[in-house]
Each structure stands twice: as structure tokens, then as C-alpha cells.
Amino acid sequence: MGGAEALGQPDGHANGAVVEEKLDELRRQLGKADGDPLRIVGVGAGAWGSVFCALLQDAYGHLRDKAQVRIWRRPGRAVDRATAEHLFDVINAREDVLRRLIRRCAYLKYVEARLGDRTLYADEILRDGFCLNMIDTPLCPLKVVTNLQEAVWDADIVVNGVPSTDTREVFGEIGRYWKERITAPVIISLAKGIEASLDPLPRIITPTQMISNATGVPSENILYLGGPNIASEIYNKEYANARICGADKWRKPLAKFLRQPHFIVWDNSDLITHEVMGGLKNVYAIGAGMVAALTNESATSKSVYFALCTSEMIYITHLLEEEPEKLAGPLLADTYVTLLKGRNAWYGQKLAKGELTLEMGDSIKGKGTIQGVSAVEAFYELLSQDSLSVMHPEANRSVAPVEMCPILKALHRILITRDRPADSILQAIRDETMYDPRERIEMAQGHSLYRPSLLGQPKDVKT
């Protein structure tokens, strides 16, 4: 199935001892016997999923008797010739990568692919350390498994790196393989996206909930990890932080295990809300990319959009969270990095410039799934429900919450119903009747908007 070399053992004996001690501590908590390696499996090989596994391989892969890191991706995805040519240039620009491939007798196939004499496949190049969605950032070689059952059947820790739109299907299949398991694995979900459910009450379904429903793994064993980060920059050791959210039993041990000098991991008990916020910022990132492209990167226009979209996001968090102030920092940080360099903002730019069309779908070559598109549909559908109605401050009547979110409405018409062009986003931010964003925030703070039923809480405390 393709072996993986361990690159870059931890610097110095003392640091190496600390790494081994962290691994031993987690092994004890998972009840691993001596001689039985801790099996960590990534499911899905997009940019962040691949980087996450590569970070663990770099940190712990040299301790082969104690830890095994592998990653599953679907087989058969061909690398087109233009990408193969670019990959060849990336290889030759990095002496360490070039030498590694020559040493592994793998360089010749990249020469042949560049000439068009050979077809490369995504799982094949991942074994050599190249993610198809992040071709410019070479990773360490990874052990790649293309058979899902083989990958996960005995896993101790599973990392969900598939998009939210694929999570239910993939983990439904995994659940069938785990029917005979005696002990439940620990699952860390990286997916940022949501689904809407309207029956019996409007509510949000998150990837961790999908995983629990599909596999029967108890919710205390399923965690969410998110944060303001760009996968390629994290692998290049830009300083970053993330937050792992979930039940007490596993979040602190995992935060310690995942923490590295350049990648600080905090922990929090509020899993579902952080997970939902990870999906919400993708919605508004698409609009930000559109505004940037349509105004020729006008700093003024982008700041107007930012003020308006963040006020909508704050308004929505008041519907979802009893104490939304706790989320302000993480949500704004994650939004900021996504606007700067995320794939959702990039997608919005390409749509507005006409370089992509909606007919191409939301899975884009070299980028992966644009999760903000499905999130626009889910949030719009939920916030359109009359059962969640709020009082309109000027009309003095009840309206669905979406009526207080004109940018979300505009994005829905552009991306989902497709009855407005991309440049209509500008009308949404130039509307003379729109509230000062401060007023929307004050409105949210001054009214009891909290609807716990949206996150599946049993009691609605609406007054």
C-alpha cells in the first residue's frame, strides 16, 4: 500500500523525549498494550486533511513501534498533464524533495508524466508527499490506503478530512465496518459545514452529529478541531493555533498530543457551536471574494462589506448561542484568515471575474470542495422558517430571521436560486435602507434572540 518515510525527527534528544512521552501518555489513556501501535487514520486527503496527517507523521512517525499514521483517499483520480508539468517544476525547485524522490526511485515517473508518457494518480503522488489540492507545498511521504475498510477497521483515532457534504456517506460506510468493534475509536473532525433539518423543528446538523448518527460512536468520543489557519502555511511552520472542542474525556489529552511548537492547540467544551461557526464564516467569505473582484480590490469597499457581514454573523450567533460574546474572537479570527487566503473567498473572486461558473459545481480542481456553497443554502433555509420569527425593529411585525440578513439573502439568490448575477452583491451592501451595522448588533444584544432548538437543544427559552 505504499510505505512512508519519517522525515525530520524532533530536534535534540530532550525534545525527542518529550514527544515520546506525549505519545506514551495518550497510548496509556487509550489502553494500548506494549507492541501494539497507536493507529491514526486520516479519512480524506484534501489540503487540511493531508497536512494534519503529515504533521502527525513528522512528529511521531519515527516511533514506528508505538505509532502508525496512514491516510485514506479514493483511488483513480488522475492528475492532468498541466498539473503534472507544474508538479515537476515544484520538485525541481526543491533540492531536498528532488533528492528524496531520486533516492526512492520515484523521480522518473514525474519526468514521464511531464512529457505526457505516463498518467499520475492522486493517491500515488500522495505517497510521495504531494496533495493534489495543494501542489505547491510538498509534504512528507504518507502511507496511503485506498480501501476504506482496510484503512479504518482497527483505527484508534480517525481524523475526518472529507467535506461536510460527503461526511454522512463516508461514515455511513465506515459504520458498517465497525459493527463488530468492542471499543469505540476517537474521532477528530476537521470538516467545516452544516446541513439543515426542518422536521420536526428547524435545526442545524453538523459533521460530528452526522458521524455519531452514522457510526453509533458515542458523542463523547467525537471532537471538532478548527481555527484560523491555512493548511500550506501550517505545514511550512508559520505560527498558528487551533481549538479542539468536545467532551472532557478526550479534548485535553488530544490538545496536548497535537500541540507542536508552531501549532498551539487549545481546548473548549462547546463543540457544536464552534463547529457551526466554522461553517458560517465560509458563507460570508464567498461574498467577500466577489466584492474584492468587482471593486478591483478596493480597500474601502472590502471594509464596508466586512462591517456589514460581521454584523450579520454576530446577529446569527445570538440566535444560536446564549452567550455569543464567547465566540466573537474565534469567529472573527477564522473569518479574517478565510477572507485573506481561503478557498471560499478565492471561489467568490473567480465567479465574479467569470473565470468559474456555477455550472462547474462546488468541487474545483486544485482546491477541493467549496463548503460555503452548501452552507449558504443551509443557513438560508433554516433562517427562513417562520417558527423562528423575530420582531422587525421598524416594521413592528414578526419576520423570519433571514430578513435581517440581506447579504445572506443576496448570496442565496446568486449561488442557489441563481436568479441574480454576482455583481448583485454590491447592491446588497449599497442599499440606502440598510441598517448601520452597529444597529443590527445592538438589536441582537437588546432582544432575546436565542433559539436553542436550532442546535438541537430540547428547551426553547425564547421570551
Side-chain angles (χ1 to χ4, degrees), residues 72-135:
W72 169 83
R73 73 153 293 137
R74 292 183 177 92
R77 176 74 180 273
V79 178
D80 62 48
R81 185 172 174 182
T83 303
E85 290 174 349
H86 182 58
L87 181 54
F88 184 78
D89 293 336
V90 170
I91 291 167
N92 284 281
R94 289 274 300 267
E95 184 177 341
D96 58 328
V97 176
L98 180 61
R99 289 182 179 278
R100 167 162 57 81
L101 290 175
I102 292 172
R103 188 170 63 248
R104 290 164 59 93
C105 301
Y107 181 66
L108 182 58
K109 66 186 178 186
Y110 293 95
V111 176
E112 293 173 341
R114 177 179 178 271
L115 296 172
D117 295 338
R118 189 189 196 285
T119 299
L120 295 171
Y121 292 91
D123 54 293
E124 175 185 19
I125 67 171
L126 188 59
R127 291 185 178 94
D128 293 331
F130 302 104
C131 172
L132 188 59
N133 291 347
M134 194 178 57
I135 216 77

Side-chain angles (χ1 to χ4, degrees), residues 136-153:
D136 290 310
T137 304
L139 308 174
C140 64
L142 290 167
K143 179 176 175 59
V144 180
V145 183
T146 56
N147 181 292
L148 184 57
Q149 183 173 8
E150 179 186 343
V152 303
W153 74 274

Side-chain angles (χ1 to χ4, degrees), residues 146-179:
T146 56
N147 181 292
L148 184 57
Q149 183 173 8
E150 179 186 343
V152 303
W153 74 274
D154 62 347
D156 301 300
I157 297 174
V158 174
V159 179
N160 175 32
V162 299
S164 60
T165 47
D166 294 337
T167 294
R168 188 187 306 279
E169 175 191 350
V170 171
F171 278 85
E173 186 175 346
I174 289 173
R176 293 194 291 273
Y177 306 144
W178 283 349
K179 283 183 177 178

